Amino acid sequence: MFNRNRYLPPLAVIASISMVTGCGVFSSDASDDADPIIVGTTSTPSTLDPAAAWDSSWELMRNVFQPLLGYSPGGSEPEPDAAESCEFTDSSSTVYSCTLREGLKFSNGHTLDAKAVKYSFDRIKKINVNGGPAGLLTTLSRVQTKGDREVVFHLSQPDATFPLVLTTPAMSIVDPAEYPADKLREGGDIAGSGPYNLASYDDGKTAELVRNDNYEGIADLKNSAITIQYFQQSDEMVSALKNKDISVIYRGLGASDIVDIQANHDEEGLQIVENPTTEISYLVFNPKDPWAKNPAVRKAVAQVLDRPALAHNIYKDTVEPLYSMIPRGLVGHTTGFFDDYGNPSATKAKSILTEAGITETVPLQLWYTTDRYGSQTKPAFEELKRQLEASGLFEVTLKSRPWKDYSKGYQNGEYPVFGRGWNPDFNDADNFIAPFVGEQNALGTPYDAPEITNKLLPESRAESDRGAVAEEFEEAQQILVDDARLIPLWQGKAYTAANEEIAGLENVIDPATMMIMWQLSWKTSW
């Protein structure tokens, strides 16, 4: 079981990364069984184009596209994937060079060379989707090619986290012949170079993956085919698992389902694996809304919220209360919201509002998505509504949309207050601060925080020892606490459930809490 006192080790940035001997082609352990393993999830993609993806779409992209760097199963440090080697070539962490493996091809047979890599990065920055992955490339100045296999990234300032950015599915290499330079690709097809080809895609229903015979990289395939089935409701997904209509569940298990499977897995022929993660859930306040833009309103909300009640009553202790945007297990984690606000108090919240001249009941509109974070999302927001209204200070209206529409709505600034979850792009404190601040961020709501963006983040990125940046991130978090624009709620755990016939669950989750499908196998194929 999960040890509540266990801390996840900080992910070290390696200045020089070389190809591990033996990585590359397919493993002889790959199953010859042609039956696909069916994986159920509530993580439906909002896009199939990496240039637009900074959300749950990464779950699919991790398996069909290929970045320069990736992770071996169970590993926490980036290793070469499409690259043969990568390293900073200067002493100030501003020039990063990668040499590609020889003979790389896309799934359609087209050559994957240095020009394709440059094209992919230039394309992200040129299309510049609002709330999209261009926000991860704020320090990238230009990309240079040297011959067919070498790519050089020139950074505008020192950035020791850049190798970690390269591991994300947003930095996937795309075929220039298939993806327009100045607009997103439409349709349900993918031309990538990852372990699998996308054989067919039915939006919101299924994605059929088959082994990519052109693939060369870090993945060591244990199966020949995967079918991903997308669900809107956790209970339907769990029923499908118990009925053996699917074989694996990841992303979207409800708290009651987790507790039930943990208690009865032997009798039902199931298995469940629990892993500590740095996944977080939080509220976002839109500065364009007349109430949400008021600091007193935000601080009053922070003063009323009862995180332990939310974690225990709704999530059955499958999550833990969180009091800072940087989760436990990472350098820079604090308990700022508890330190400043203490235990929930309607009396203190009323004083905050009164001192700001607010004496009437505050109307708030809270938005959540119906089909992304599992069946507990609706009752969780009902609990937030109950807590806020029980104080006598707020009148809360709940609103919801399916993820595809929901994500477009928050990117367009439509919601006064809305819920988001965050699975890290990479396990570094930087990734729990930088994506949420600045003019362009992952939330679609500009957050002007010059002390963070102009001073603290650059100072921390200049430090290659990621264990030595606690002070900068503690300062950044105090700014977030003082503003209360983002209010953390809980830190989660990763649960993977499967039938007894499935092997590989122990190493199927990567450091960014995404499933690497190639680790799954049928036990009968051993």
Side-chain angles (χ1 to χ4, degrees), residues 428-491:
D428 188 280
D430 184 283
N431 196 237
F432 290 87
I433 301 293
F436 310 131
V437 295
E439 182 66 26
Q440 183 183 42
N441 60 49
L443 303 173
T445 54
Y447 185 173
D448 185 23
E451 180 72 9
I452 296 176
T453 55
N454 299 339
K455 180 177 181 292
L456 296 174
L457 286 177
E459 287 178 358
S460 70
R461 288 170 176 171
E463 177 58 68
S464 60
D465 179 2
R466 304 308 293 163
V469 293
E471 183 177 344
E472 289 85 353
F473 286 116
E474 288 169 3
E475 288 184 33
Q477 287 194 96
Q478 189 57 50
I479 293 172
L480 298 183
V481 171
D482 293 342
D483 290 346
R485 281 272 306 274
L486 308 169
I487 298 182
L489 297 174
W490 51 257
Q491 179 173 347

Side-chain angles (χ1 to χ4, degrees), residues 25 51 109 163 180 200 204 237 300 321 324 337 360 414 445 502 508:
V25 261
S200 69
M237 187 166 58
S324 72
F337 274 90
E360 69 269 40
E414 296 177 12
T445 54
I502 299 297
V508 80

